[in-house]
Amino acid sequence: MGVRNQTQVEEFVFLGFSSIPNSHLYLFLPFLAIYLITVLGNLIIFTLIQLDSSFQSPMYYFLSHLSCLDICLSSVTVPKILVNFLYQRQTITYNQCMAQMFFLIFFTVTEGALLAVMAYDRYAAICKPLHYSRLMNAKVCAILAFTTWVWGFLDAALHTALSSKLHFCGVNQIHHIFCDIPPLMKIACKGVHINQLGTHISTPFVGIAPFLFTILSYLFILCSILKIHSTAGKQKAFSTCASHLTVVIVYFGNGLLNYNRPSAGNSLETETLVSTMYCIIPPMLNPLIYSLRNKEVKGALKKVLKTQRKVYI
C-alpha cells in the first residue's frame, strides 16, 4: 500500500500506437504470427536437442538455453500486447508493469551473457581444440549457464527495486506498448536520478562487457582461422560459428539501434516500433538462423519430418 501511495497510480495506459486509427486491426495478426513462429521454432530446436543424442556437445547445450530464453523473452511482452489489441484496452496494472519489466530485463540480460558464453565456447573449440574437452566439460558448462541466469536475475532485481521507488505524481500514460525502464523514467516526477545512476553503473557490466567479450572472442577465432592453410579447413572452422555469429549480430545490432538511436525527429510510433522489434525479432530469427545455417540441425529436422511422414503414411 505504501508503494501505491508513492506512485499515486493504480494502472498505466500505453500510448505506443494510439495515434494510428484502428491499429489493433492491422497489428494483431502480425504480432500473433511473430509470436507463434517464435514459440514453435524455439520449441522445435529445444526438443531436437533434448531428444537427439548427436546434440550433446556444449554448443547445443547452450543453444537449448538460448531457445528457452527466446520463448520466455517473447512471452513477457507479446501476449499482453495481443490481449490489449484484442480488447482495445491499452492498460496494465502497476504490479503487472513491475513484473513485466523485471522479466524483460531478466531474460534480455541473461541472453546477452549467454551469447558471450557461447562465443567463448566457439573460441575454445577453434583456438584451443586439444584442451576443449577440459575447458568445456559438463560441470563447466552447467556453471556457465547457471551464472548467466543469476547474472540476469540480479540485474533485473536491482532495476525493479529502483523503479519501485519512482514517483509518478498521478501521470500514468506510458509512451510505449510495454513496461521498460526508459519509458517509466520519462513520466516519473521523482526518483529518476537514482535510476539513472543504477543504469549507468550496470550498463558496462551487463551490456558493454558481454559485447566486448564476444567481439574479442571472435577476433581470436578469426586469427586462428586465418592461420589454417587449406580452404576447406577454413570453411569448416567458420561454419561451426557462423550461426552464432549471425545471432550475435542480430541481437547486439538491434540493441545498439534501440538504445543508441537519436530520439530527435522520430515519431512516437517509430520509437515504439524500433524498441518493440528489439524484443520480438531476435527471438523469432534465432531458430530460423540455426535451422538454415547449421547442417546438424537441418539434418535432424529432415530426419524428424521423414519419420513423421512415414507414420502418417
Side-chain angles (χ1 to χ4, degrees), residues 94-112:
Y94 176 83
N95 289 334
Q96 288 175 347
C97 182
M98 290 295 109
Q100 186 180 64
M101 185 178 64
F102 171 83
F103 287 109
L104 179 65
I105 298 171
F106 178 19
F107 298 133
T108 301
V109 172
T110 301
E111 183 156 334

Side-chain angles (χ1 to χ4, degrees), residues 98 101 155-167 190-199 202:
M98 290 295 109
M101 185 178 64
D155 188 62
L158 169 66
H159 286 296
T160 305
L162 292 177
S163 296
S164 68
K165 304 300 181 183
L166 288 171
H167 295 229
K190 189 178 178 182
V192 176
H193 177 71
I194 187 65
N195 277 267
Q196 289 176 334
L197 182 63
T199 301
S202 66

Side-chain angles (χ1 to χ4, degrees), residues 202-263:
S202 66
T203 297
F205 296 100
V206 302
I208 298 175
F211 175 71
L212 292 179
F213 184 84
T214 302
I215 295 298
L216 187 63
S217 297
Y218 271 103
L219 286 176
F220 282 114
I221 289 171
L222 180 61
C223 291
S224 295
I225 291 176
L226 292 176
K227 292 178 183 178
I228 300 174
H229 298 292
S230 67
T231 303
K234 290 180 180 179
Q235 290 178 344
K236 183 178 180 181
F238 181 74
S239 66
T240 62
C241 57
S243 297
H244 176 256
L245 182 58
T246 307
V247 169
V248 166
I249 292 171
V250 171
Y251 176 84
F252 286 108
N254 272 277
L256 291 172
L257 180 64
N258 182 45
Y259 291 107
N260 293 281
R261 67 187 185 279
S263 57

Side-chain angles (χ1 to χ4, degrees), residues 100 136 192 215 234 277 280 301 307:
Q100 186 180 64
M136 299 302 294
V192 176
I215 295 298
K234 290 180 180 179
M277 291 302 102
I280 67 174
L301 280 172
T307 303

Side-chain angles (χ1 to χ4, degrees), residues 23-24 27 41 54 104 116-117 142 180 194 197 209 216 219 244 259 271 274 285:
S23 60
H24 62 285
L27 297 175
S54 63
L104 179 65
V117 168
D180 198 3
I194 187 65
L197 182 63
L216 187 63
L219 286 176
H244 176 256
Y259 291 107
E271 293 276 329
V274 171
L285 292 180

Side-chain angles (χ1 to χ4, degrees), residues 48-299:
L48 283 175
I49 293 172
Q50 301 306 312
L51 297 180
D52 198 320
S53 58
S54 63
F55 292 139
Q56 299 305 310
S57 67
M59 180 177 72
Y60 293 110
Y61 172 74
F62 294 127
L63 179 57
S64 68
H65 279 266
L66 181 64
S67 295
C68 181
L69 268 173
D70 284 336
I71 293 174
C72 294
L73 179 58
S74 184
S75 298
V76 169
T77 56
V78 181
K80 180 60 178 176
I81 293 171
L82 291 174
V83 169
N84 286 345
F85 281 150
L86 192 63
Y87 290 99
Q88 302 180 45
R89 179 175 167 80
Q90 304 299 317
T91 60
I92 188 171
T93 67
Y94 176 83
N95 289 334
Q96 288 175 347
C97 182
M98 290 295 109
Q100 186 180 64
M101 185 178 64
F102 171 83
F103 287 109
L104 179 65
I105 298 171
F106 178 19
F107 298 133
T108 301
V109 172
T110 301
E111 183 156 334
L114 183 63
L115 289 175
V117 168
M118 294 173 76
Y120 173 74
D121 170 66
R122 293 299 83 210
Y123 160 79
I126 294 173
C127 301
K128 306 286 184 181
L130 298 179
H131 303 283
Y132 182 67
S133 58
R134 176 177 60 83
L135 292 172
M136 299 302 294
N137 59 54
K139 183 179 179 179
V140 171
C141 290
I143 292 173
L144 288 174
F146 177 74
T147 302
T148 62
W149 288 87
V150 172
W151 190 251
F153 176 85
L154 292 176
D155 188 62
L158 169 66
H159 286 296
T160 305
L162 292 177
S163 296
S164 68
K165 304 300 181 183
L166 288 171
H167 295 229
F168 298 99
C169 302
V171 179
N172 70 335
Q173 295 182 330
I174 299 177
H175 298 278
H176 214 306
I177 57 172
F178 57 80
C179 291
D180 198 3
I181 299 173
L184 285 176
M185 287 199 296
K186 283 183 180 180
I187 66 171
C189 61
K190 189 178 178 182
V192 176
H193 177 71
I194 187 65
N195 277 267
Q196 289 176 334
L197 182 63
T199 301
H200 292 324
I201 292 174
S202 66
T203 297
F205 296 100
V206 302
I208 298 175
F211 175 71
L212 292 179
F213 184 84
T214 302
I215 295 298
L216 187 63
S217 297
Y218 271 103
L219 286 176
F220 282 114
I221 289 171
L222 180 61
C223 291
S224 295
I225 291 176
L226 292 176
K227 292 178 183 178
I228 300 174
H229 298 292
S230 67
T231 303
K234 290 180 180 179
Q235 290 178 344
K236 183 178 180 181
F238 181 74
S239 66
T240 62
C241 57
S243 297
H244 176 256
L245 182 58
T246 307
V247 169
V248 166
I249 292 171
V250 171
Y251 176 84
F252 286 108
N254 272 277
L256 291 172
L257 180 64
N258 182 45
Y259 291 107
N260 293 281
R261 67 187 185 279
S263 57
N266 292 331
S267 65
L268 172 60
E269 289 72 22
T270 302
E271 293 276 329
T272 302
L273 184 62
V274 171
S275 184
T276 304
M277 291 302 102
Y278 173 62
C279 294
I280 67 174
I281 294 301
M284 180 188 72
L285 292 180
N286 289 351
L288 298 178
I289 291 169
Y290 273 97
S291 298
L292 295 175
R293 298 193 64 88
N294 189 290
K295 292 181 179 179
E296 288 81 4
V297 174
K298 284 195 291 186

